[in-house]
Amino acid sequence: MITAMVIMLMMSAAAFGQQTQGTQSVDEMVVTATRSEERAIDVPVTTQVIDREKIEMSGALDIGDLIGKYITGHFHKYNGLLSPVGLRGFRTESHGDDVKGYVLLLVDGHRVGTGNAAKINMDRIERIEVTKGPASALYGSAAMGGVINLITKKGDGDLFVSVGGDAGSFDYYKGQLSTGGEVNDRLRFHLTGSYEDTDDYDDPEFGTVYNTGVTRKNVGGNLVFTVNENHELRLGGNYADLTSESPDWDGDAYTRYREDASQHNEKDHAYADLEYNGDYFGNAVHWRGLAYYLRDKNHWYWGDPVAESDQTKYIDETLGTDHQFEWHMNSWNRLLVGFNLEWLEKESEGVSDGQPSTPYTPGMEYDTQALFAQDSLDLWDNRINVIAAVRYDRFDVTTVRPKTGDLPDFNEKNEVYDHVSPKVGIGVKVIDEFLRLRANVGEGFKSPSADQLSADYVHSNGTHYLGNPDLDPETSLTYDVGVDLFHEFFTLQVGYFHTDYEDKIVQVTDEVDGDAVSTYENHGDSVMAGFDVNFQWWIDRMFDWTVGVSVYSNAAFNTTKDDKDTGEDLQYISDYEVKSGVSVSYAGFSTQLSHVLVGPQMITNYDTYEDEEKGSFDFWDLTLRYRFLDHWEVRGSVLNLFDDQVEWVRGYLMAERNYRVGLTYTF
């Protein structure tokens, strides 16, 4: 069906060609794929954008739910504010330091400092840009599957103050206060704070899922000062205080949840950043500089019946700076060079049976330095766009003694290694800017962690954890090709990707002289391939309607996901995903009906430790909004409209049909 659509549209392209100039879809600006603002059609790497309208109409409560609703990849949602997100078979690491992940989460261009998308509040996000495929040539380690860049509100527009509240099923409520706007020609800002709480929810099969309450407190904002037309400073940041509970099954059989379960967790996430943008030499050179601080805390209480009797706590802190210089050498050649420096420290501690104990993971230190360069060529009257990028990363990592635990033989070992990541892409426009052909090839990598390289200690459980200094980084080589159609009435993007994934790091345990020794090895290669399809149709434009009507559909079909050693399917990669919706708007009224379909995937059943296929599932959401009298907004959502069984992860059934309503006054 897709092939037939492409052929038909190409045959009719001549008739459409003259209409495509200057349309919104062609002129949309993106920044993530090349680290500089460019028209999407001039960048060979496809960028999927979730704009503010889609964010507001999503009904989602955090970035994890939002990505799961709109972006095809692998969303892995647990109870208790734990949501790694994935792209093309790779996903973020959500239990601790995000440098262990395979998809990189950014905020305003720098690491956000966590791989847990459930921690990230949406109130400050203006738009989200998602690039799929390896991005290590510009962003380094942990960008094998792609990059998700959260771009925050900067306070453009008139001054305002907004007060709002929401209430809904399962005793949900939220209060929010926001303010911002342009104070004068030089100063603008955006600030927001919110308090949000929900109680235990019900699922469609087992009834009340006890111990699933969540409390979120968020505050953050941006302050932007324009020195003059060539220089600008921005100070931003966010703090999130998060508390959630963890459900437990009553007995061995999955029949009902324990009402007296006591496990819970306390998490927080914070960042602060200072950004400078300046133009020099008659706007020929642009300097963008960033300094940032990141903090991520994960504190789990596991004890039963006294939760505090068993605890594990990790705190990651990062200081970083990132600088890039873009030189417009002439009208068709732009050179971007830059560097990145980061210092990350991870502290760990534990409690067992009420006494200080050795946590599962020791402390770690990462000192990283990187240099990167990219050349962008716009040739033949901007009909051919070429990018070539390369990055050098150097890592100095140390395993650090945890704050608790009796470890007399702990050896704080240090290892140093480096890696080079290249990438090249080309886009060719034909028939004016209606049709674009593109191709990319690039390498992604994920660095070994400090404990994988340099651990050397005997845990209180008797196991000797021993790092392997000879580990190689995990790497991927991906090529993708695609065809994109841009028209006033629609956009269609169809791409094929093929990834060879090598040197996966796995943990292995052997017995040496009667003692258990756990270490790490590069073991196993795999291949992943498939199709990405993104479609947007502005029906109202086509028929010149006064009522706004549009349809979107984002789909992924994973045709190959093979472990080369075993020949078996890779786990936690769905055969297909389709995420679609229709939006209608008129005057102050707008509504969106959305549908998510996730296909079957191979998983491990952790009751039997056997591999099995997890079946497909789908669900519908309906959201409505009405703005009236210039100041008021009323909104409502019906989530899981048809009361489907939604199970992103086996054993963690999500909520039944539920409702929310809200009211906001802006002055």
Side-chain angles (χ1 to χ4, degrees), residues 58-66 77 117-118 120-123 166 172 174 196 198 214 216 218 639 658 660:
S58 68
L61 297 180
D62 57 51
I63 294 298
D65 289 340
L66 188 74
K77 181 183 174 81
I120 306 174
N121 181 262
M122 299 192 309
D123 297 334
D166 295 83
Y172 172 81
K174 177 182 179 180
E196 188 175 358
T198 188
V214 173
R216 312 172 197 238
N218 277 277
L639 306 174
N658 59 98
R660 285 204 299 270

Side-chain angles (χ1 to χ4, degrees), residues 532-543:
D532 289 315
V533 182
N534 301 315
F535 178 65
Q536 180 89 24
W537 180 19
W538 294 276
I539 300 175
D540 55 326
R541 297 182 191 176
M542 176 173 286
F543 297 105

Side-chain angles (χ1 to χ4, degrees), residues 325-374:
F325 304 86
E326 186 176 18
W327 178 21
H328 292 256
M329 303 172 67
N330 51 49
S331 61
W332 51 270
N333 191 2
R334 299 182 313 282
L335 178 65
L336 183 144
V337 296
F339 65 90
N340 175 261
L341 307 173
E342 284 190 346
W343 300 268
L344 185 154
E345 291 187 356
K346 181 184 188 71
E347 292 185 351
S348 61
E349 58 184 285
V351 173
S352 179
D353 295 327
Q355 300 298 319
S357 65
T358 307
Y360 179 72
T361 302
M364 305 179 200
E365 292 181 355
Y366 295 78
D367 292 342
T368 63
Q369 305 89 39
L371 299 171
F372 56 88
Q374 175 184 262

Side-chain angles (χ1 to χ4, degrees), residues 35-185:
R35 277 181 164 255
S36 61
E37 191 175 58
E38 297 186 53
R39 293 194 314 160
I41 196 172
D42 294 335
V43 181
V45 181
T46 297
T47 300
Q48 187 175 342
V49 177
I50 306 175
D51 59 22
R52 188 62 205 172
E53 181 71 13
K54 278 192 168 65
I55 293 173
E56 292 180 350
M57 297 301 293
S58 68
L61 297 180
D62 57 51
I63 294 298
D65 289 340
L66 188 74
I67 297 299
K69 187 164 191 171
Y70 291 125
I71 304 298
T72 55
H74 180 74
F75 183 42
H76 210 71
K77 181 183 174 81
Y78 297 91
N79 305 117
L81 290 173
L82 192 63
S83 297
V85 292
L87 301 172
R88 289 188 176 176
F90 300 100
R91 67 175 186 263
T92 61
E93 203 289 322
S94 60
H95 290 86
D97 47 307
D98 60 332
V99 294
K100 288 187 175 182
Y102 299 83
V103 171
L104 195 58
L105 281 171
L106 307 175
V107 58
D108 290 324
H110 64 75
R111 274 182 48 227
V112 73
T114 180
N116 185 1
K119 286 187 171 184
I120 306 174
N121 181 262
M122 299 192 309
D123 297 334
R124 295 186 53 236
I125 306 303
E126 180 67 28
R127 59 191 267 125
I128 299 174
E129 294 185 1
V130 181
T131 63
K132 294 183 178 182
S136 296
L138 289 179
Y139 296 102
S141 179
M144 293 178 70
V147 171
I148 300 172
N149 190 11
L150 314 173
I151 300 171
T152 60
K153 298 177 181 179
K154 307 299 192 298
D156 299 320
D158 296 333
L159 287 170
F160 76 93
V161 176
S162 178
V163 181
D166 295 83
S169 302
F170 319 124
D171 296 325
Y172 172 81
Y173 65 88
K174 177 182 179 180
Q176 182 178 347
L177 175 65
S178 300
T179 183
E182 298 174 0
V183 178
N184 51 44
D185 291 342

